[in-house]
Amino acid sequence: MELSPLCTDSISTEGCVIKQDRGQRKSKVSRDVETEIENLNKAIPQLAKVFRIIDKIGEGTFSSVFLGEAQMHDGRREMFALKHLIPTSHPTRIAAELQCLTVAGGEESVMGATYCFRKEDHVVIVMPYMEHQAIVDIIGSLTFEEVRLYIYHLMKALKHVHQFGIIHRDIKPNNFLFNRKSKMYALVDFGLAQGTADTQIELLKDLSGLRKQPRPVFGERNLNSCTPAAATTKPAAIKAETLIQLVKSSKTEDPANRKYTAAGRGPLPVRTQSSTQKPQRAVQQGHTCNCYQTDRVCNICMSRKQQVAPRAGTPGFRAPEVLTKCPNQGTAIDVWSAGVILLSLLSGRYPFFKASDDLIALTQIMTIRGSRETIQAAKAFGKSVACSRDLPRQDLRTLCETLRGRRPSPDEVTPLPEANKDSSTACHHNIQDATPTHRPSVQHGAGESPLSSTLPEEPRDSETDCKVEVDERGWDRVPDEAYHLLDRLLDLNPATRITAAQALQHPLFKDL
Ligand code: ADP
Ligand code: MG
Ligand code: ZN
C-alpha cells in the first residue's frame, strides 16, 4: 500500500468539499469521541501524519476502532479502519492477531491488514475500511436469499481460516461484516483466535504457553469455587450455599431423587462434570462425592479447583464443548457459532441465545436441541451433563417459522418452561434467567431473542399484510436444505458436526 503523510497543506488546499464533510461529521461526533481521537493522536503521533481520524466506529472489550482517511500517493483518498488495542494486551496476543490478518486475510471474505503502528504499549492495526450494516438493524428486512449468501460467504471465510489452522473463537455477526449494497463480506477480529495443533500461524503456537486462567463467570464460581463455601463471604459463595440449602430443605435426602426436586416448578439447574476425572479425584481425596450426575453441587465439588479450558467468545454463540470446558476444542466451535447465526437469521431473532453465563447458555441449547441429545453428545466428548428435566428436541422449521410469525399457534413449538415466579433468592433469580419464558410473538422487524426475556405481546398486523411482505422476501419458500444445514451446523457433537469445507458442498449451495 502506498500511503503518504497527510500534510496540513493537502487538507486545506482540497477546499470546501472536505471541510463541509468534516463539518457534518463533527456535529455527529460526540465530545467523548473527539477526546478519544485526540488522545490516540497523542499516543501515536505518527498516526496523524498519515491519517485524519474522523470518527469512532467500534468499541469492544479489547479495542476501539476508528475511521481514518489517508491520502494515497496517486492523490486518491482512502478510508481505513484503525483498531487501537487496549494497551494492556499481551504483545504475543497482539502479534498473533496481526499475523492472522496478514497471513490468512485479504481474500475469501477474510479481512486483511495493511499496516501496523506502535508506540510504547499503544498498537493500532490498520485495515481497509469496509462499510457495513449491523445485522441487528437489518434482520427484519433480510430476504432468504441474502441469508443464504451470508452463510455461504461465512462458510468460505471459515474454510479459509480453518485451513491455516486458525480457530477464530468469536464468530458472531459483529465479527462478520456485511455490506448489503455491494454484497461484500469480511471476517474480522482475530483477537481471541487460537491455533490448532498443526496451525500455520507461528504466533498462535506461542499463545498456548501464555493462556491465562479463564475469567470466572457466575455459574462457574458457583460450581467450581476454589474456596470452600463456608470459609468465605464472597457473594458467589453465598449464592452457592443458597443452592445447597435449597437442596437440603427439599423433601428428600435420597441422592437418586435429588435431580428431580426442582423439576416441578420450572427451574432447570444444569451442571456439568468431567465424566472421567471428578469421581476419581474425589476418591483420591478420601471423599465420596455425593452429587455426581445430579443437578446439585456437594461441598466436595464446591471446593474443587476450576477446570482450565479455553472458553473465549460470547456465551450465546459458544459451542456445547466450549460451555462444558472440554479441553480439546477445534475448528468445529466456529461452525457451531455459524449455526447459531443461521438459526438467528432463519428465525428473525437476534440475538437468539442471550445468556449471561455458560450454564444458562447450555440450558438454552438444551431447550432447542434436546436435553437427552445434549447429555449424550457431552458423554461423547467426555463430559457429564445433568439436567433436572427432560427437554424434547425441537423441529427447526417449526421453531423458526413460529418465531417468524408464519405459524399461528405457539403451541406447536414445545414451549420453554415458564420462569419461576418466585425470585426472592439469588438462586431462584439465577434459575429464572436460565429458564426464559417462551412466548413467540409475531413481529416483522428485529425480534428480540426468544430466550432473552418475556416478550411483550406485539400488536399483530393484518394477516394479509404479513403474508405479502414476507413472501417477497422468500420466507414462504425456505427449502428443507436450509433446515438440514442448520441441523448439521448445530450438531451437538463436534466430532460429527459438519465442517466449513463440507458445508460449502451442501445442497443448499449447489448453484453457487
Ligand atoms: P473487538 O475485538 O473490539 O470486537 P473488532 O475487530 O471486532 O474489535 O472491531 C469492532 C468493530 O469495528 C466491528 O464489529 C466493526 O463494526 C468495526 N470494524 C472492525 N474492522 C473493520 C473494518 N476493517 N472495516 C469496517 N469496520 C470495521
Ligand atoms: Mg469483535
Ligand atoms: Zn459432588
Side-chain angles (χ1 to χ4, degrees):
M1 183 190 66
E2 301 272 303
L3 289 176
S4 68
L6 270 184
C7 56
T8 22
D9 274 3
S10 68
I11 291 177
S12 53
T13 53
E14 284 295 322
C16 58
V17 179
I18 299 233
K19 276 204 178 126
Q20 204 176 30
D21 174 54
R22 203 173 196 178
Q24 283 168 350
R25 279 273 179 188
K26 212 153 206 175
S27 57
K28 280 189 270 174
V29 174
S30 76
R31 264 284 150 89
D32 291 352
V33 169
E34 268 179 44
T35 314
E36 274 190 66
I37 292 173
E38 265 170 43
N39 290 342
L40 178 58
N41 280 325
K42 267 186 227 152
I44 312 178
Q46 283 295 108
L47 266 187
K49 295 191 178 156
V50 184
F51 298 101
R52 184 167 67 84
I53 302 175
I54 299 168
D55 202 352
K56 185 172 176 176
I57 52 176
E59 159 120 53
T61 325
F62 304 107
S63 79
S64 298
V65 181
F66 297 88
L67 175 67
E69 183 191 56
Q71 185 174 20
M72 317 304 282
H73 278 308
D74 62 7
R76 281 177 307 116
R77 291 178 176 277
E78 260 185 46
M79 298 296 223
F80 292 89
L82 312 176
K83 180 168 177 173
H84 181 214
L85 302 165
I86 58 157
T88 51
S89 310
H90 193 284
T92 311
R93 180 77 264 176
I94 295 170
E97 177 170 359
L98 193 59
Q99 199 168 50
C100 289
L101 289 164
T102 52
V103 175
E107 53 182 343
E108 299 290 308
S109 298
V110 180
M111 181 57 68
T114 348
Y115 211 76
C116 184
F117 286 81
R118 182 182 79 88
K119 194 190 174 215
E120 286 150 16
D121 50 358
H122 289 275
V123 176
V124 166
I125 297 176
V126 180
M127 298 166 271
Y129 171 70
M130 193 185 119
E131 201 185 323
H132 59 279
Q133 289 80 42
I135 286 294
V136 65
D137 293 337
I138 59 170
I139 191 166
S141 65
L142 286 173
T143 66
F144 171 70
E145 186 58 10
E146 284 177 310
V147 167
R148 190 174 76 108
L149 289 172
Y150 183 88
I151 295 299
Y152 178 74
H153 286 278
L154 176 57
M155 288 302 143
K156 275 185 101 161
L158 285 183
K159 178 189 172 187
H160 186 68
V161 300
H162 291 170
Q163 274 172 348
F164 284 89
I166 299 171
I167 311 170
H168 184 282
R169 298 202 70 90
D170 199 13
I171 296 299
K172 55 180 176 181
N174 286 355
N175 289 335
F176 191 59
L177 313 184
F178 172 44
N179 184 316
R180 204 173 186 181
K181 231 185 188 169
S182 64
K183 299 216 186 313
M184 300 247 284
Y185 310 83
L187 179 61
V188 299
D189 197 356
F190 291 87
L192 296 172
Q194 279 174 355
T196 58
D198 57 350
T199 183
Q200 292 168 44
I201 311 295
E202 287 302 315
L203 290 163
L204 289 180
K205 291 179 188 164
D206 301 347
L207 269 183
S208 37
L210 53 99
R211 202 169 287 158
K212 282 186 191 151
Q213 290 271 102
R215 280 165 293 163
V217 293
F218 170 72
E220 285 165 345
R221 272 181 284 155
N222 222 357
L223 297 184
N224 294 310
S225 171
C226 298
T227 331
T232 172
T233 51
K234 281 191 297 185
I238 293 167
K239 281 174 188 162
E241 269 183 332
T242 313
L243 183 65
I244 294 300
Q245 279 162 9
L246 274 180
V247 179
K248 292 212 173 122
S249 66
S250 68
K251 287 169 203 105
T252 174
E253 282 294 315
D254 179 1
N257 291 331
R258 275 185 192 174
K259 64 181 101 173
Y260 300 114
T261 52
R265 293 168 69 204
L268 292 168
V270 186
R271 58 178 318 222
T272 65
Q273 291 175 321
S274 170
S275 57
T276 47
Q277 273 184 339
K278 289 204 167 171
Q280 280 166 13
R281 247 203 277 157
V283 172
Q284 278 163 15
Q285 288 168 354
H287 300 299
T288 311
C289 167
N290 51 23
C291 71
Y292 182 63
Q293 286 206 329
T294 70
D295 56 13
R296 296 299 170 204
V297 188
C298 71
N299 282 320
I300 296 160
C301 287
M302 198 100 67
S303 62
R304 289 182 202 284
K305 280 216 183 94
Q306 188 171 298
Q307 184 166 6
V308 179
R311 45 159 296 274
T314 311
F317 292 93
R318 282 183 196 139
E321 67 271 26
V322 180
L323 296 170
T324 55
K325 297 183 168 188
C326 183
N328 11 321
Q329 299 171 14
T331 51
I333 71 166
D334 291 340
V335 173
W336 173 276
S337 308
V340 176
I341 298 180
L342 181 57
L343 175 61
S344 188
L345 297 178
L346 291 178
S347 64
R349 302 302 179 106
Y350 181 81
F352 194 92
F353 297 119
K354 198 166 137 197
S356 52
D357 75 45
D358 286 354
L359 292 182
I360 292 171
L362 194 61
T363 312
Q364 295 183 341
I365 288 173
M366 287 202 263
T367 56
I368 304 297
R369 303 302 279 157
S371 54
R372 265 186 245 181
E373 289 82 351
T374 307
I375 289 163
Q376 196 191 336
K379 207 171 163 189
F381 54 78
K383 290 288 171 176
S384 167
V385 173
C387 179
S388 58
R389 184 190 279 187
D390 187 39
L391 301 162
R393 185 191 188 98
Q394 300 202 36
D395 175 70
L396 293 170
R397 179 187 283 275
T398 310
L399 173 72
C400 292
E401 289 183 351
T402 305
L403 293 171
R404 273 202 173 269
R406 297 201 55 83
R407 276 174 194 253
S409 168
D411 296 332
E412 286 177 45
V413 178
T414 307
L416 298 184
E418 279 290 319
N420 194 332
K421 299 288 187 303
D422 173 13
S423 57
S424 53
T425 66
C427 184
H428 272 139
H429 181 74
N430 181 34
I431 289 165
Q432 183 176 17
D433 269 353
T435 56
T437 310
H438 180 127
R439 266 183 220 147
S441 65
V442 180
Q443 289 182 328
H444 305 304
E448 225 196 289
S449 162
L451 293 168
S452 61
S453 60
T454 304
L455 293 170
E457 292 292 339
E458 284 283 304
R460 197 174 167 154
D461 289 354
S462 87
E463 204 74 3
T464 44
D465 283 358
C466 173
K467 285 229 170 81
V468 169
E469 190 191 352
V470 173
D471 282 2
E472 275 170 8
R473 300 189 179 124
W475 291 107
D476 58 334
R477 281 162 275 140
V478 178
D480 287 339
E481 285 82 5
Y483 295 106
H484 180 264
L485 177 62
L486 178 59
D487 182 61
R488 296 293 295 115
L489 298 170
L490 294 180
D491 186 334
L492 294 156
N493 183 354
T496 51
R497 192 174 303 147
I498 198 169
T499 65
Q502 289 164 351
L504 289 171
Q505 303 298 318
H506 192 274
L508 181 65
F509 305 128
K510 60 175 178 285
D511 59 315
L512 296 173

